[in-house]
Each structure stands twice: as C-alpha cells, then as structure tokens.
Amino acid sequence: GGYIDAENIGKSGRKIMKKYAFGVDIGGTTCKIGFFDTNGTLLDKWEIKTNTENNGESILSDVAKAVDNKLAQEAISKDDVQGIGIGVPGPVDSQGVVHRCVNLGWGVFNIERAFSDSFHGIPCKAGNDANVAALGEYFKGGGRGYSDMLMVTLGTGVGGGVILDGKIVAGATG
C-alpha cells in the first residue's frame, strides 16, 4: 500500500512516534510540497520549479534540498521525520520503480530508493500522482469515512484513482 506507518521500533525495542512527514507532487512545471504532522495535519505548503533539463536528473535533489531547507527553517531534526510520499505523473509499481514519466524526461528507475538515498536514508513511498491524490482524499478529504471511492483529476491531462475496500486499485504496473 501507499500508507506510511507512523510508528517505528527504537533500538530499545519500544515504539517511538515520529512527528513529521512530507508529501510531494512532482509535476511537469512545479513540484508541490506539503509538510505534515504524522496525524495528517498540513503544517505548511510551498512549491518549487520542476527542472526537466537533462532528463530531469536534478528533480529529486531539488526536492531534497527544499525539504532540508524546511527542516532547517523549523529547527527540526531529520530524526523526527517518519518519511516522505511522492506522487509522479506516470506509473509506479509496488517495488517503487517508475516506468517512464514522459513530461519529466524520466525512464525506468527505483524512485523510492533514489530519493531515500539522496535524503538521509529517510523512507520514501511513491505512486502515480492521481492514485496518491485519491489516497489523500480518502485519508483526510472528501473520501474520509468511506471504504470505496473514485477520484477524477483534471489538469494538463485527465487521470483518476479508485479505492475499493480501503485499498488503492493500482493495476499491474502502478
């Protein structure tokens, strides 16, 4: 699934609740970034330009810098960050592998591993942007309280996400 569990087991074996998480929507023009507590309350949001030069090679590092800047601005340790969720305009399989994002210039690679490696090893979960938008609406928006939901996204393109019995229907390739 696309959920980030808000609990972690510490070295002593006791559960430690991390305080913060980030959500990123990577689009062809801008990357929209949200800063949340682990209950899903939005604390801040902003956007940065999506640099698609050289097949989008700097997109993930630009996002990592923007998140690092927010942590510094808020005087928050990276150890208090549970994880980051990323939505991309293309298919992402259950292993976190992007299968081509044409408007970003991306081919096939493991976005979850690449972002986590570039961002202090903090866990990352990724999915198709319309699917993760549907998860957000299911968790905190118009779909809250329902087990089944359909969301249609309208932007540069048309997309959508389907949730059945509380789980995203992602298809064979995300």
Side-chain angles (χ1 to χ4, degrees):
Y3 299 103
I4 296 175
D5 186 5
E7 291 189 69
N8 192 13
I9 302 296
K11 291 180 183 172
S12 66
R14 59 190 171 90
K15 289 185 179 184
I16 298 171
M17 181 66 83
K18 303 252 181 157
K19 298 177 185 175
Y20 304 104
F22 289 88
V24 179
D25 176 19
I26 298 177
T29 305
T30 61
C31 298
K32 294 170 184 66
I33 305 170
F35 174 49
F36 300 86
D37 68 21
T38 51
N39 292 318
T41 302
L42 179 66
L43 304 173
D44 197 4
K45 63 182 178 176
W46 70 101
E47 59 185 55
I48 62 171
K49 182 181 181 310
T50 304
N51 183 353
T52 57
E53 293 175 7
N54 298 317
N55 293 318
E57 70 181 11
S58 71
I59 294 171
L60 293 182
S61 62
D62 290 348
V63 169
K65 285 178 199 165
V67 172
D68 265 335
N69 289 342
K70 174 54 72 179
L71 292 175
Q73 176 187 341
E74 300 292 331
I76 294 170
S77 167
K78 66 182 182 302
D79 295 331
D80 285 330
V81 177
Q82 178 62 39
I84 187 160
I86 298 179
V88 299
V92 181
D93 69 22
S94 62
Q95 303 303 307
V97 176
V98 168
H99 292 272
R100 199 155 187 253
C101 294
V102 176
N103 61 344
L104 301 180
W106 287 352
V108 178
F109 74 103
N110 190 310
I111 186 173
E112 292 177 1
R113 188 177 314 125
F115 189 82
S116 183
D117 288 350
S118 70
F119 192 64
H120 315 293
I122 292 172
C124 173
K125 293 298 283 179
N128 170 269
D129 54 2
N131 285 347
V132 298
L135 284 172
E137 285 297 323
Y138 175 76
F139 179 53
K140 283 291 191 181
R144 194 172 186 174
Y146 295 93
S147 60
D148 302 319
M149 188 189 99
L150 168 69
M151 178 176 177
V152 177
T153 59
L154 302 172
T156 303
V158 177
V162 177
I163 295 179
L164 295 175
D165 292 325
K167 293 184 176 40
I168 193 77
V169 178
T173 60

Short mmCIF file of all heavy atoms in Angstrom, two decimals, residues 102-162:
data_model
loop_
_atom_site.label_atom_id
_atom_site.label_comp_id
_atom_site.label_asym_id
_atom_site.label_seq_id
_atom_site.Cartn_x
_atom_site.Cartn_y
_atom_site.Cartn_z
N VAL A 102 7.06 10.72 -19.07
CA VAL A 102 7.41 11.40 -20.31
C VAL A 102 7.66 12.89 -20.10
O VAL A 102 8.66 13.43 -20.55
CB VAL A 102 6.32 11.19 -21.38
CG1 VAL A 102 6.63 11.98 -22.64
CG2 VAL A 102 6.18 9.71 -21.70
N ASN A 103 6.76 13.58 -19.38
CA ASN A 103 6.92 15.03 -19.25
C ASN A 103 8.02 15.44 -18.28
O ASN A 103 8.34 16.62 -18.18
CB ASN A 103 5.60 15.72 -18.92
CG ASN A 103 5.00 15.27 -17.62
OD1 ASN A 103 5.38 14.25 -17.06
ND2 ASN A 103 4.03 16.03 -17.12
N LEU A 104 8.63 14.48 -17.58
CA LEU A 104 9.79 14.78 -16.72
C LEU A 104 11.09 14.36 -17.40
O LEU A 104 12.17 14.76 -16.95
CB LEU A 104 9.66 14.06 -15.38
CG LEU A 104 8.43 14.37 -14.54
CD1 LEU A 104 8.47 13.57 -13.25
CD2 LEU A 104 8.29 15.85 -14.27
N GLY A 105 10.99 13.52 -18.42
CA GLY A 105 12.18 13.01 -19.08
C GLY A 105 12.74 11.75 -18.43
O GLY A 105 13.82 11.29 -18.78
N TRP A 106 11.98 11.18 -17.48
CA TRP A 106 12.47 10.01 -16.75
C TRP A 106 12.19 8.71 -17.50
O TRP A 106 11.14 8.54 -18.10
CB TRP A 106 11.80 9.92 -15.39
CG TRP A 106 12.25 10.92 -14.38
CD1 TRP A 106 13.30 11.78 -14.50
CD2 TRP A 106 11.67 11.16 -13.12
NE1 TRP A 106 13.41 12.55 -13.36
CE2 TRP A 106 12.41 12.18 -12.49
CE3 TRP A 106 10.59 10.63 -12.44
CZ2 TRP A 106 12.11 12.67 -11.23
CZ3 TRP A 106 10.28 11.10 -11.18
CH2 TRP A 106 11.05 12.11 -10.59
N GLY A 107 13.14 7.80 -17.39
CA GLY A 107 12.97 6.45 -17.89
C GLY A 107 12.54 5.55 -16.73
O GLY A 107 11.72 5.93 -15.90
N VAL A 108 13.12 4.36 -16.65
CA VAL A 108 12.78 3.38 -15.62
C VAL A 108 13.84 3.42 -14.52
O VAL A 108 15.03 3.27 -14.79
CB VAL A 108 12.69 1.96 -16.23
CG1 VAL A 108 12.39 0.93 -15.17
CG2 VAL A 108 11.65 1.93 -17.35
N PHE A 109 13.42 3.66 -13.27
CA PHE A 109 14.34 3.61 -12.12
C PHE A 109 13.54 3.50 -10.84
O PHE A 109 12.34 3.76 -10.81
CB PHE A 109 15.26 4.85 -12.10
CG PHE A 109 14.59 6.13 -11.68
CD1 PHE A 109 14.77 6.64 -10.41
CD2 PHE A 109 13.79 6.82 -12.56
CE1 PHE A 109 14.17 7.82 -10.02
CE2 PHE A 109 13.17 8.01 -12.19
CZ PHE A 109 13.37 8.51 -10.91
N ASN A 110 14.21 3.10 -9.77
CA ASN A 110 13.55 2.97 -8.47
C ASN A 110 13.57 4.32 -7.77
O ASN A 110 14.58 4.70 -7.17
CB ASN A 110 14.23 1.90 -7.61
CG ASN A 110 13.41 1.59 -6.37
OD1 ASN A 110 13.00 2.49 -5.65
ND2 ASN A 110 13.16 0.31 -6.13
N ILE A 111 12.47 5.04 -7.84
CA ILE A 111 12.39 6.38 -7.28
C ILE A 111 12.45 6.35 -5.75
O ILE A 111 13.04 7.23 -5.13
CB ILE A 111 11.12 7.13 -7.76
CG1 ILE A 111 11.15 8.59 -7.27
CG2 ILE A 111 9.86 6.41 -7.34
CD1 ILE A 111 10.04 9.45 -7.83
N GLU A 112 11.87 5.34 -5.13
CA GLU A 112 11.88 5.26 -3.67
C GLU A 112 13.31 5.13 -3.15
O GLU A 112 13.72 5.82 -2.23
CB GLU A 112 11.01 4.11 -3.18
CG GLU A 112 9.53 4.35 -3.43
CD GLU A 112 8.65 3.20 -3.02
OE1 GLU A 112 9.16 2.16 -2.52
OE2 GLU A 112 7.42 3.32 -3.22
N ARG A 113 14.06 4.25 -3.74
CA ARG A 113 15.45 4.05 -3.33
C ARG A 113 16.29 5.29 -3.64
O ARG A 113 17.07 5.75 -2.82
CB ARG A 113 16.05 2.82 -4.01
CG ARG A 113 17.43 2.49 -3.47
CD ARG A 113 18.04 1.23 -4.07
NE ARG A 113 17.10 0.12 -4.13
CZ ARG A 113 16.80 -0.54 -5.25
NH1 ARG A 113 17.36 -0.22 -6.39
NH2 ARG A 113 15.95 -1.54 -5.22
N ALA A 114 16.10 5.85 -4.85
CA ALA A 114 16.89 7.02 -5.26
C ALA A 114 16.63 8.20 -4.33
O ALA A 114 17.57 8.88 -3.91
CB ALA A 114 16.56 7.40 -6.70
N PHE A 115 15.38 8.44 -3.97
CA PHE A 115 15.10 9.58 -3.10
C PHE A 115 15.60 9.31 -1.69
O PHE A 115 16.22 10.17 -1.07
CB PHE A 115 13.63 9.96 -3.07
CG PHE A 115 13.43 11.26 -2.34
CD1 PHE A 115 13.63 12.46 -2.99
CD2 PHE A 115 13.12 11.28 -0.99
CE1 PHE A 115 13.51 13.67 -2.32
CE2 PHE A 115 13.00 12.47 -0.31
CZ PHE A 115 13.20 13.68 -0.97
N SER A 116 15.34 8.15 -1.16
CA SER A 116 15.80 7.81 0.19
C SER A 116 17.31 7.93 0.30
O SER A 116 17.83 8.48 1.27
CB SER A 116 15.33 6.41 0.57
OG SER A 116 15.70 6.11 1.89
N ASP A 117 18.03 7.45 -0.73
CA ASP A 117 19.49 7.54 -0.73
C ASP A 117 19.96 8.98 -0.74
O ASP A 117 20.98 9.32 -0.14
CB ASP A 117 20.08 6.80 -1.93
CG ASP A 117 19.98 5.28 -1.82
OD1 ASP A 117 19.61 4.79 -0.73
OD2 ASP A 117 20.26 4.60 -2.83
N SER A 118 19.22 9.86 -1.43
CA SER A 118 19.65 11.26 -1.52
C SER A 118 19.12 12.09 -0.35
O SER A 118 19.48 13.26 -0.21
CB SER A 118 19.20 11.88 -2.85
OG SER A 118 17.80 12.04 -2.88
N PHE A 119 18.27 11.51 0.50
CA PHE A 119 17.67 12.26 1.59
C PHE A 119 17.86 11.54 2.93
O PHE A 119 16.91 11.11 3.57
CB PHE A 119 16.19 12.53 1.33
CG PHE A 119 15.59 13.53 2.27
CD1 PHE A 119 16.03 14.83 2.29
CD2 PHE A 119 14.60 13.15 3.16
CE1 PHE A 119 15.50 15.75 3.18
CE2 PHE A 119 14.06 14.06 4.05
CZ PHE A 119 14.51 15.36 4.06
N HIS A 120 19.09 11.38 3.33
CA HIS A 120 19.47 10.90 4.67
C HIS A 120 18.96 9.50 5.00
O HIS A 120 18.87 9.14 6.18
CB HIS A 120 18.99 11.87 5.75
CG HIS A 120 19.24 13.30 5.44
ND1 HIS A 120 20.50 13.84 5.36
CD2 HIS A 120 18.38 14.33 5.16
CE1 HIS A 120 20.41 15.13 5.07
NE2 HIS A 120 19.15 15.45 4.92
N GLY A 121 18.55 8.71 4.01
CA GLY A 121 18.04 7.37 4.27
C GLY A 121 16.62 7.34 4.82
O GLY A 121 16.13 6.29 5.22
N ILE A 122 15.95 8.49 4.84
CA ILE A 122 14.57 8.54 5.33
C ILE A 122 13.67 7.79 4.35
O ILE A 122 13.78 7.96 3.13
CB ILE A 122 14.12 10.00 5.51
CG1 ILE A 122 14.92 10.62 6.68
CG2 ILE A 122 12.62 10.11 5.76
CD1 ILE A 122 14.72 12.10 6.86
N PRO A 123 12.76 6.95 4.85
CA PRO A 123 11.91 6.14 3.98
C PRO A 123 11.07 6.99 3.03
O PRO A 123 10.59 8.06 3.38
CB PRO A 123 11.00 5.39 4.95
CG PRO A 123 11.70 5.42 6.25
CD PRO A 123 12.50 6.68 6.27
N CYS A 124 10.90 6.46 1.83
CA CYS A 124 10.11 7.11 0.79
C CYS A 124 9.15 6.09 0.20
O CYS A 124 9.52 4.93 -0.02
CB CYS A 124 11.04 7.63 -0.30
SG CYS A 124 10.19 8.27 -1.76
N LYS A 125 7.92 6.51 -0.04
CA LYS A 125 6.94 5.71 -0.78
C LYS A 125 6.48 6.57 -1.94
O LYS A 125 6.28 7.77 -1.80
CB LYS A 125 5.74 5.34 0.09
CG LYS A 125 6.05 4.40 1.22
CD LYS A 125 6.55 3.06 0.77
CE LYS A 125 5.46 2.18 0.25
NZ LYS A 125 5.95 0.88 -0.23
N ALA A 126 6.35 5.95 -3.11
CA ALA A 126 5.96 6.69 -4.30
C ALA A 126 4.81 6.00 -5.00
O ALA A 126 4.60 4.79 -4.86
CB ALA A 126 7.15 6.83 -5.25
N GLY A 127 4.07 6.78 -5.77
CA GLY A 127 2.97 6.24 -6.55
C GLY A 127 2.58 7.20 -7.65
O GLY A 127 3.07 8.34 -7.72
N ASN A 128 1.71 6.73 -8.50
CA ASN A 128 1.15 7.58 -9.54
C ASN A 128 0.44 8.76 -8.89
O ASN A 128 -0.25 8.60 -7.88
CB ASN A 128 0.18 6.75 -10.39
CG ASN A 128 -0.62 7.60 -11.32
OD1 ASN A 128 -1.71 8.04 -10.96
ND2 ASN A 128 -0.09 7.85 -12.50
N ASP A 129 0.60 9.95 -9.46
CA ASP A 129 0.07 11.15 -8.83
C ASP A 129 -1.44 11.10 -8.60
O ASP A 129 -1.93 11.52 -7.54
CB ASP A 129 0.47 12.41 -9.59
CG ASP A 129 0.13 12.40 -11.07
OD1 ASP A 129 -0.48 11.42 -11.56
OD2 ASP A 129 0.48 13.38 -11.75
N ALA A 130 -2.20 10.58 -9.54
CA ALA A 130 -3.65 10.51 -9.37
C ALA A 130 -4.02 9.49 -8.28
O ALA A 130 -4.95 9.72 -7.49
CB ALA A 130 -4.33 10.16 -10.69
N ASN A 131 -3.29 8.39 -8.22
CA ASN A 131 -3.55 7.39 -7.18
C ASN A 131 -3.26 7.95 -5.78
O ASN A 131 -4.04 7.76 -4.85
CB ASN A 131 -2.72 6.13 -7.40
CG ASN A 131 -3.25 5.28 -8.53
OD1 ASN A 131 -4.35 5.47 -9.01
ND2 ASN A 131 -2.44 4.34 -8.97
N VAL A 132 -2.14 8.65 -5.63
CA VAL A 132 -1.82 9.18 -4.30
C VAL A 132 -2.72 10.36 -3.94
O VAL A 132 -3.00 10.57 -2.76
CB VAL A 132 -0.32 9.51 -4.11
CG1 VAL A 132 0.52 8.24 -4.27
CG2 VAL A 132 0.17 10.59 -5.02
N ALA A 133 -3.20 11.10 -4.94
CA ALA A 133 -4.19 12.14 -4.67
C ALA A 133 -5.47 11.50 -4.11
O ALA A 133 -6.07 12.02 -3.16
CB ALA A 133 -4.49 12.95 -5.93
N ALA A 134 -5.86 10.38 -4.71
CA ALA A 134 -7.05 9.66 -4.21
C ALA A 134 -6.81 9.18 -2.77
O ALA A 134 -7.72 9.27 -1.92
CB ALA A 134 -7.37 8.48 -5.13
N LEU A 135 -5.61 8.69 -2.48
CA LEU A 135 -5.31 8.27 -1.11
C LEU A 135 -5.41 9.44 -0.13
O LEU A 135 -5.91 9.29 0.98
CB LEU A 135 -3.91 7.65 -1.03
CG LEU A 135 -3.77 6.24 -1.56
CD1 LEU A 135 -2.30 5.83 -1.61
CD2 LEU A 135 -4.57 5.26 -0.71
N GLY A 136 -4.92 10.61 -0.55
CA GLY A 136 -5.02 11.79 0.30
C GLY A 136 -6.46 12.16 0.58
O GLY A 136 -6.83 12.47 1.72
N GLU A 137 -7.31 12.12 -0.43
CA GLU A 137 -8.73 12.43 -0.24
C GLU A 137 -9.40 11.37 0.64
O GLU A 137 -10.26 11.68 1.45
CB GLU A 137 -9.45 12.52 -1.59
CG GLU A 137 -9.16 13.79 -2.33
CD GLU A 137 -9.64 15.05 -1.61
OE1 GLU A 137 -10.71 15.03 -0.97
OE2 GLU A 137 -8.92 16.05 -1.68
N TYR A 138 -8.98 10.14 0.49
CA TYR A 138 -9.52 9.05 1.30
C TYR A 138 -9.13 9.22 2.77
O TYR A 138 -9.95 9.04 3.67
CB TYR A 138 -8.99 7.72 0.76
CG TYR A 138 -9.39 6.51 1.57
CD1 TYR A 138 -10.68 6.00 1.49
CD2 TYR A 138 -8.48 5.87 2.41
CE1 TYR A 138 -11.06 4.89 2.23
CE2 TYR A 138 -8.84 4.75 3.14
CZ TYR A 138 -10.13 4.27 3.05
OH TYR A 138 -10.49 3.17 3.79
N PHE A 139 -7.90 9.63 3.01
CA PHE A 139 -7.37 9.76 4.36
C PHE A 139 -7.88 11.02 5.07
O PHE A 139 -8.30 10.97 6.23
CB PHE A 139 -5.84 9.75 4.29
CG PHE A 139 -5.13 9.90 5.62
CD1 PHE A 139 -5.40 9.08 6.69
CD2 PHE A 139 -4.15 10.87 5.77
CE1 PHE A 139 -4.73 9.22 7.90
CE2 PHE A 139 -3.47 11.02 6.97
CZ PHE A 139 -3.77 10.20 8.04
N LYS A 140 -7.86 12.16 4.38
CA LYS A 140 -8.16 13.43 5.03
C LYS A 140 -9.17 14.31 4.31
O LYS A 140 -9.45 15.41 4.75
CB LYS A 140 -6.87 14.25 5.22
CG LYS A 140 -6.02 13.76 6.34
CD LYS A 140 -6.69 14.05 7.67
CE LYS A 140 -5.78 13.84 8.83
NZ LYS A 140 -6.44 14.10 10.10
N GLY A 141 -9.69 13.88 3.17
CA GLY A 141 -10.54 14.75 2.38
C GLY A 141 -11.96 14.23 2.20
O GLY A 141 -12.55 13.66 3.11
N GLY A 142 -12.45 14.42 0.99
CA GLY A 142 -13.83 14.08 0.67
C GLY A 142 -14.18 12.61 0.77
O GLY A 142 -15.35 12.25 0.89
N GLY A 143 -13.20 11.72 0.74
CA GLY A 143 -13.46 10.29 0.83
C GLY A 143 -13.39 9.74 2.24
O GLY A 143 -13.61 8.55 2.47
N ARG A 144 -13.10 10.61 3.19
CA ARG A 144 -12.95 10.18 4.59
C ARG A 144 -14.23 9.52 5.09
O ARG A 144 -15.33 10.04 4.91
CB ARG A 144 -12.61 11.40 5.43
CG ARG A 144 -12.13 11.08 6.79
CD ARG A 144 -11.65 12.34 7.45
NE ARG A 144 -11.04 12.01 8.72
CZ ARG A 144 -10.44 12.86 9.49
NH1 ARG A 144 -10.36 14.11 9.14
NH2 ARG A 144 -9.93 12.49 10.62
N GLY A 145 -14.07 8.35 5.69
CA GLY A 145 -15.22 7.64 6.24
C GLY A 145 -15.85 6.64 5.28
O GLY A 145 -16.76 5.91 5.66
N TYR A 146 -15.39 6.60 4.04
CA TYR A 146 -15.92 5.67 3.05
C TYR A 146 -14.90 4.57 2.77
O TYR A 146 -13.70 4.79 2.86
CB TYR A 146 -16.24 6.39 1.73
CG TYR A 146 -17.35 7.40 1.87
CD1 TYR A 146 -17.05 8.74 2.13
CD2 TYR A 146 -18.68 7.03 1.75
CE1 TYR A 146 -18.06 9.68 2.28
CE2 TYR A 146 -19.69 7.96 1.90
CZ TYR A 146 -19.38 9.29 2.15
OH TYR A 146 -20.38 10.20 2.29
N SER A 147 -15.38 3.39 2.40
CA SER A 147 -14.44 2.31 2.06
C SER A 147 -14.18 2.24 0.56
O SER A 147 -13.19 1.66 0.13
CB SER A 147 -14.96 0.97 2.57
OG SER A 147 -16.21 0.67 1.97
N ASP A 148 -15.07 2.84 -0.24
CA ASP A 148 -14.93 2.84 -1.69
C ASP A 148 -15.01 4.28 -2.18
O ASP A 148 -15.82 5.08 -1.69
CB ASP A 148 -16.05 2.03 -2.36
CG ASP A 148 -16.10 0.61 -1.88
OD1 ASP A 148 -15.03 -0.01 -1.71
OD2 ASP A 148 -17.23 0.11 -1.66
N MET A 149 -14.17 4.60 -3.17
CA MET A 149 -14.12 5.98 -3.64
C MET A 149 -13.54 6.04 -5.04
O MET A 149 -12.68 5.24 -5.40
CB MET A 149 -13.23 6.77 -2.68
CG MET A 149 -13.22 8.25 -2.91
SD MET A 149 -11.96 9.03 -1.89
CE MET A 149 -10.69 9.19 -3.12
N LEU A 150 -14.00 6.99 -5.82
CA LEU A 150 -13.45 7.28 -7.15
C LEU A 150 -13.08 8.75 -7.17
O LEU A 150 -13.85 9.61 -6.72
CB LEU A 150 -14.49 7.00 -8.24
CG LEU A 150 -14.16 7.51 -9.64
CD1 LEU A 150 -13.00 6.72 -10.23
CD2 LEU A 150 -15.37 7.45 -10.54
N MET A 151 -11.88 9.05 -7.66
CA MET A 151 -11.45 10.44 -7.78
C MET A 151 -11.00 10.68 -9.22
O MET A 151 -10.28 9.87 -9.79
CB MET A 151 -10.29 10.73 -6.84
CG MET A 151 -9.78 12.14 -6.96
SD MET A 151 -8.51 12.45 -5.74
CE MET A 151 -8.07 14.10 -6.22
N VAL A 152 -11.43 11.80 -9.79
CA VAL A 152 -11.01 12.19 -11.13
C VAL A 152 -10.12 13.43 -10.98
O VAL A 152 -10.47 14.37 -10.27
CB VAL A 152 -12.22 12.51 -12.03
CG1 VAL A 152 -11.76 13.00 -13.40
CG2 VAL A 152 -13.11 11.28 -12.16
N THR A 153 -8.95 13.41 -11.62
CA THR A 153 -8.05 14.55 -11.59
C THR A 153 -8.07 15.22 -12.96
O THR A 153 -8.01 14.56 -13.99
CB THR A 153 -6.61 14.14 -11.24
OG1 THR A 153 -6.14 13.20 -12.20
CG2 THR A 153 -6.54 13.52 -9.85
N LEU A 154 -8.18 16.55 -12.94
CA LEU A 154 -8.20 17.34 -14.16
C LEU A 154 -7.09 18.36 -14.09
O LEU A 154 -7.03 19.17 -13.16
CB LEU A 154 -9.54 18.06 -14.32
CG LEU A 154 -10.79 17.17 -14.34
CD1 LEU A 154 -12.04 18.02 -14.29
CD2 LEU A 154 -10.78 16.30 -15.59
N GLY A 155 -6.17 18.31 -15.01
CA GLY A 155 -5.05 19.25 -15.06
C GLY A 155 -4.59 19.33 -16.48
O GLY A 155 -5.40 19.47 -17.40
N THR A 156 -3.30 19.22 -16.69
CA THR A 156 -2.77 19.17 -18.05
C THR A 156 -3.36 17.96 -18.76
O THR A 156 -3.67 18.00 -19.95
CB THR A 156 -1.23 19.09 -18.03
OG1 THR A 156 -0.75 20.22 -17.30
CG2 THR A 156 -0.66 19.10 -19.43
N GLY A 157 -3.52 16.90 -18.01
CA GLY A 157 -4.15 15.68 -18.51
C GLY A 157 -5.33 15.32 -17.61
O GLY A 157 -5.69 16.05 -16.71
N VAL A 158 -5.94 14.18 -17.90
CA VAL A 158 -7.04 13.67 -17.10
C VAL A 158 -6.59 12.35 -16.49
O VAL A 158 -6.00 11.52 -17.18
CB VAL A 158 -8.30 13.44 -17.96
CG1 VAL A 158 -9.43 12.84 -17.15
CG2 VAL A 158 -8.74 14.75 -18.61
N GLY A 159 -6.82 12.18 -15.22
CA GLY A 159 -6.43 10.95 -14.55
C GLY A 159 -7.45 10.60 -13.48
O GLY A 159 -8.49 11.24 -13.36
N GLY A 160 -7.12 9.61 -12.69
CA GLY A 160 -8.03 9.25 -11.62
C GLY A 160 -7.47 8.15 -10.76
O GLY A 160 -6.48 7.51 -11.10
N GLY A 161 -8.10 7.99 -9.61
CA GLY A 161 -7.73 6.95 -8.68
C GLY A 161 -8.99 6.28 -8.15
O GLY A 161 -10.02 6.92 -7.97
N VAL A 162 -8.88 4.98 -7.91
CA VAL A 162 -10.00 4.20 -7.41
C VAL A 162 -9.58 3.52 -6.12
O VAL A 162 -8.51 2.91 -6.05
CB VAL A 162 -10.44 3.13 -8.43
CG1 VAL A 162 -11.56 2.26 -7.87
CG2 VAL A 162 -10.87 3.79 -9.74
#
